[in-house]
Amino acid sequence: MNKITLIATAAMGLEAIVANEVRQLGYKDVTVENGKVIFEADFKAIARANLWLRTADRVKILVGEFNAVSFEELFEQTKALPWADFISEDSEFPVIGRSVKSRLYSVPDCQAIVKKAVVESLKKSYHIEWFEEIGAFQRIEVAIHKDIASLTIDTSGTGLHKRGYRYLHNEAPLKETLAAALIQLTNWNADKPLYDPFCGSGTIPIEAAMIGQNIAPGINRTFAFENWNWFEQKWIDEVQEEAEDVAKYDQPLQIIGGDVDHTMIELAQNNAKEAGFPDALRFKQIQISDFSTEDESGVVIGNPPYGDRMKDKSYAENLYRELGRVLRPMDTWSVYIITSHPHFEKLYGAKATKKRKLYNGNIKTDFYQFWGKRPRKK
């Protein structure tokens, strides 16, 4: 078996971005569906996708997919899948599940049946009756949607948003995967200044720095597949060497994070240091009303307070008015703001060039894009 089917899961609204990242890695047979991107690849792609996908949540192996309207069908078809190709005889293989609009709606029953079927399949392959499950962790998921059961094995372990640099964060952190997606939706590149006026724990500036210097987002963390005895160490080594070869550590960056809270500035500085950017990024305590720049053009990108709670609403609305007052005159700068507030454009004082619906966790938001005019040639 030289090819496998991989699934890169994605937050709602980010599927097209994840698919573009998959294609940039060189994989052409790509299918986009709600919440996931499916692609055919070789085994090394497990390592490459986990290391490089900035906006995906997880990478999973699709072991099999079939129609199942009875527990007997679920059991027999699960049992028939080639589990021994992926799961070792000493592996720990718990089963999680979900079911949507399907006749097999009892998730605990589906999980139990899949677990039993996998055990029966492995018994036949390994000729043993008992599995101690003391080895590598290989989590199986049974996902049933409209009576179609998909059986997958998670290769990532902890979610891909866990880059390894953000040990501490503010109360409402922006996921690293969403921050990377927001940056990719702007017109920013490493030659332009970037300013985040609501930097919090520094996620947007740090993700921008990783993009600007072409650093693989997973380079400083581990993954579940690294402990699987059938996954060859040479594949891991080759992918990591590729990442080192293309990194641009000497690329200068002009990225600034600002926040009104000095404790957030300290937190962002610590996180930037953990991410490998002790000196490349600047953070300063500042109010948006005090922001000014001598740069002719650049990008502002921010995740301000949404004002979802009644007591915070007036603060957020005044902040949006001030944001517009300061940034609208900077007409050669592009401004990108994510918020759930339905009247942001009115408060900001301008209609967005474009807006895109995204989800920040479970919160439905809009990503407002105000494109700056091209600077006059000197």
Side-chain angles (χ1 to χ4, degrees):
M1 183 170 58
N2 298 320
K3 293 285 185 180
I4 53 173
T5 301
L6 296 178
I7 297 175
T9 61
M12 195 73 71
L14 300 187
E15 298 93 341
I17 301 172
V18 173
N20 186 52
E21 289 187 331
V22 170
R23 293 187 185 100
Q24 287 177 346
L25 291 178
Y27 306 112
K28 298 177 181 178
D29 190 3
V30 179
T31 303
V32 180
E33 297 182 5
N34 286 338
K36 59 187 177 182
V37 175
I38 306 164
F39 60 105
E40 302 293 319
D42 57 9
F43 284 102
K44 195 199 293 190
I46 294 172
R48 187 177 286 118
N50 274 288
L51 194 69
W52 276 105
L53 293 182
R54 299 183 189 278
T55 58
D57 291 330
R58 292 182 178 277
V59 178
K60 301 175 180 180
I61 299 170
L62 179 64
V63 183
E65 192 169 71
F66 50 80
N67 186 270
V69 296
S70 70
F71 290 133
E72 182 180 1
E73 283 184 322
L74 180 62
F75 177 83
E76 293 298 336
Q77 294 190 78
T78 299
K79 182 182 173 183
L81 294 174
W83 293 103
D85 288 349
F86 305 105
I87 297 178
S88 305
E89 59 184 282
D90 66 340
S91 292
E92 179 185 357
F93 53 100
V95 178
I96 61 171
R98 52 193 170 91
S99 179
V100 179
K101 298 179 181 177
S102 299
R103 276 171 272 190
L104 299 180
Y105 58 85
S106 172
V107 173
D109 286 337
C110 292
Q111 290 174 188
I113 287 165
V114 166
K115 178 73 174 187
K116 184 178 179 181
V118 174
V119 167
E120 291 302 314
S121 175
L122 294 178
K123 278 182 181 180
K124 187 176 180 181
S125 297
Y126 293 123
H127 308 291
I128 57 176
E129 290 297 314
W130 178 257
F131 295 89
E132 291 188 274
E133 298 195 45
I134 58 174
F137 188 81
Q138 296 184 271
R139 186 174 61 195
I140 298 169
E141 181 181 42
V142 50
I144 308 177
H145 182 248
K146 295 182 179 178
D147 297 328
I148 302 297
S150 297
L151 279 296
T152 59
I153 300 174
D154 174 43
T155 72
S156 301
T158 54
L160 294 182
H161 71 284
K162 296 282 188 180
R163 315 288 206 219
Y165 63 75
R166 197 171 71 172
Y167 296 105
L168 297 171
H169 52 73
N170 53 332
E171 288 183 5
L174 190 71
K175 262 190 176 182
E176 294 88 334
T177 45
L178 179 56
L182 298 184
I183 295 160
Q184 292 185 57
L185 288 170
T186 74
N187 65 350
W188 181 77
N189 61 58
D191 295 327
K192 295 181 181 180
L194 183 145
Y195 177 61
D196 175 6
F198 314 103
C199 71
S201 55
T203 307
I204 289 176
I206 293 170
E207 290 297 318
M210 296 180 81
I211 291 170
Q213 292 190 346
N214 201 33
I215 296 171
I219 198 69
N220 290 320
R221 57 158 286 175
T222 59
F223 305 97
F225 69 83
E226 293 180 73
N227 296 316
W228 299 354
N229 62 14
W230 61 264
F231 198 88
E232 296 188 25
Q233 182 63 41
K234 70 174 184 178
W235 297 334
I236 299 172
D237 294 340
E238 287 169 2
V239 167
Q240 289 178 336
E241 286 174 17
E242 289 171 6
E244 287 295 329
D245 288 343
V246 299
K248 302 174 182 176
Y249 296 114
D250 295 329
Q251 170 67 47
L253 300 169
Q254 192 176 345
I255 299 174
I256 302 171
D259 203 285
V260 295
D261 188 345
H262 71 90
T263 60
M264 288 296 103
I265 296 303
E266 292 175 8
L267 187 57
Q269 288 170 334
N270 288 334
N271 287 338
K273 187 176 180 180
E274 287 291 337
F277 303 105
D279 304 312
L281 309 180
R282 286 190 290 153
F283 296 96
K284 58 183 179 180
Q285 184 182 6
I286 187 173
Q287 298 188 61
I288 187 61
S289 57
D290 296 327
F291 174 64
S292 63
T293 179
E294 295 180 0
D295 292 301
E296 189 175 8
S297 65
V299 168
V300 173
I301 177 170
N303 176 41
Y306 297 170
D308 290 333
R309 292 175 292 191
M310 189 57 67
K311 67 177 182 178
D312 300 327
K313 187 175 181 181
S314 60
Y315 170 78
E317 291 180 348
N318 288 331
L319 185 64
Y320 298 160
R321 292 187 186 98
E322 189 66 14
L323 193 65
R325 186 190 69 78
V326 173
L327 297 181
R328 283 199 316 273
M330 298 166 52
D331 59 358
T332 54
W333 279 63
S334 293
V335 178
Y336 302 84
I337 301 293
I338 183 171
T339 177
S340 64
H341 199 295
H343 305 301
F344 174 77
E345 288 170 305
K346 183 178 179 181
L347 295 163
Y348 183 81
K351 186 172 178 58
T353 313
K354 186 178 180 181
K355 63 181 182 179
R356 182 176 183 138
K357 292 193 182 301
L358 296 172
Y359 280 84
N360 183 359
N362 294 322
I363 303 172
K364 187 177 180 181
T365 66
D366 283 297
F367 189 45
Y368 294 90
Q369 305 171 44
F370 302 88
W371 298 348
K373 294 191 296 187
R374 195 182 292 267
R376 290 189 298 272
K377 289 184 178 180
K378 296 180 181 179

